[in-house]
Amino acid sequence: HGAAYKVAPAVLRELGATVIPIAAAPDGTNINDACGAVHPEAMCRAVVEHGADLGIALDGDADRVVFSDARGQLVDGDAILAICALDMHSRGALRGSAVVATVMSNMGLERCLAGAGIGVVRTPVGDRYVVEAMVQGTYNLGGEQSGHVIFLDYGTTGDGMVAALQVLATMQRSGRSIADLAAAMTRYPQLLRAIPVATKIPLERLPQLGAVVRGVEAELGSDGRVVVRYSGTEAKLRVMLEGPDLGRLEEYAGRIGEVAVREIAAAG
């Protein structure tokens, strides 16, 4: 129920696809209402129900896109970056032999692309930071796990339909399904925690939190990552952990959260 409700089906039909539109009846109040890239579950179910080859879900302003494969499995922004980067690199079209992604993109993206000789440049969360790094480094592909994918050859911001068409073109060139293409990336378990805080004490003024984070990073080694940052929109401390063992990540998250709550309360 968003900006592309009319354009997206028309473009896809023009290109020869059989389109089954869902959540394409905006009434002014139902934007992202249990649908689209924000809530892709309905799309994933519909793909299976209709026996479709894939599903495409855009968000309200159509700058984000995520897919479903034929089995109803979600293909997110990280997988889209992997699919397009590998294709562009194989054709000599990936500038700088690197992709720009945020600190939230899964480690599996780095590992997948490293195997093909492609680097990943990390930025803070937010597509504005992704675009800044792309322009500064003259890269032409970047994006976020949420489905903002930027093809700087075609535009300076995320465009869900441009990204969707690039994925479809890759499928057509390769003759492979989106599930097969997405399988190139093995996703690491990722754990996210949001801890409410009364005050956003600068992280550099929280030595105990810094120490416990460094300790967890040392235990994970090259097999995991820890990202601790404040939300830009809410009074919350966000903790993201990645590693091969979800149980250990739960333990680490508890350890970091306990220290963070105690030290932030004392400092506030």
Side-chain angles (χ1 to χ4, degrees):
H1 303 306
Y5 79 98
K6 192 170 185 178
V7 169
V11 167
L12 295 167
R13 287 190 181 111
E14 177 71 18
L15 292 170
T18 300
V19 180
I20 303 163
I22 63 171
D27 62 12
T29 63
N30 60 358
I31 294 173
N32 294 327
D33 185 10
C35 66
V38 180
H39 302 286
E41 302 83 11
M43 170 196 66
C44 292
R45 288 194 302 268
V47 168
V48 175
E49 289 166 5
H50 291 279
D53 294 299
L54 78 163
I56 300 171
L58 304 161
D59 68 335
D61 58 358
D63 63 352
R64 288 169 49 186
V65 65
V66 295
F67 290 79
S68 168
D69 67 19
R71 303 165 300 175
Q73 299 298 306
L74 188 67
V75 178
D76 69 2
D78 284 346
I80 294 168
L81 284 173
I83 289 168
C84 293
L86 291 170
D87 172 69
M88 291 168 68
H89 186 65
S90 72
R91 296 184 288 111
L94 186 68
R95 290 208 302 268
S97 295
V99 167
V100 179
T102 76
V103 293
M104 298 305 292
S105 278
N106 195 275
M107 264 184 73
L109 176 64
E110 280 186 356
R111 297 291 172 92
C112 166
L113 296 183
I118 302 169
V120 174
V121 177
R122 297 272 189 176
T123 75
V125 174
D127 56 341
R128 59 168 286 198
Y129 299 111
V130 173
V131 173
E132 282 177 6
M134 292 175 72
V135 171
Q136 290 171 3
T138 66
Y139 305 113
N140 59 345
L141 177 62
E144 298 186 279
Q145 190 180 67
S146 60
H148 282 118
V149 183
I150 299 145
F151 294 85
L152 212 54
D153 294 335
Y154 305 113
T156 57
T157 187
D159 185 315
M161 275 308 296
V162 167
L165 294 174
Q166 293 303 309
V167 172
L168 291 170
T170 301
M171 291 172 61
Q172 193 165 53
R173 273 191 294 269
S174 66
R176 299 165 65 189
S177 69
I178 192 168
D180 192 21
L181 291 170
M185 175 183 149
T186 301
R187 193 175 301 276
Y188 274 58
Q190 189 177 76
L191 187 70
L192 303 173
R193 289 284 183 270
I195 302 168
V197 295
T199 312
K200 293 182 180 179
I201 306 295
L203 296 179
E204 61 271 19
R205 287 173 47 196
L206 302 173
Q208 296 172 36
L209 177 59
V212 74
V213 168
R214 288 192 296 275
V216 169
E217 288 175 332
E219 291 185 42
L220 285 169
S222 62
D223 287 328
R225 291 193 307 133
V226 183
V227 177
V228 178
R229 65 182 182 89
Y230 287 112
S231 167
T233 56
E234 299 176 281
K236 291 179 179 178
L237 181 74
R238 299 198 182 279
V239 179
M240 187 278 286
L241 296 110
E242 284 178 348
D245 185 335
L246 190 56
R248 286 180 65 196
L249 297 184
E250 293 275 6
E251 177 191 335
Y252 293 145
R255 193 188 306 175
I256 292 170
E258 182 181 342
V259 172
V261 168
R262 184 174 65 244
E263 191 172 22
I264 290 171

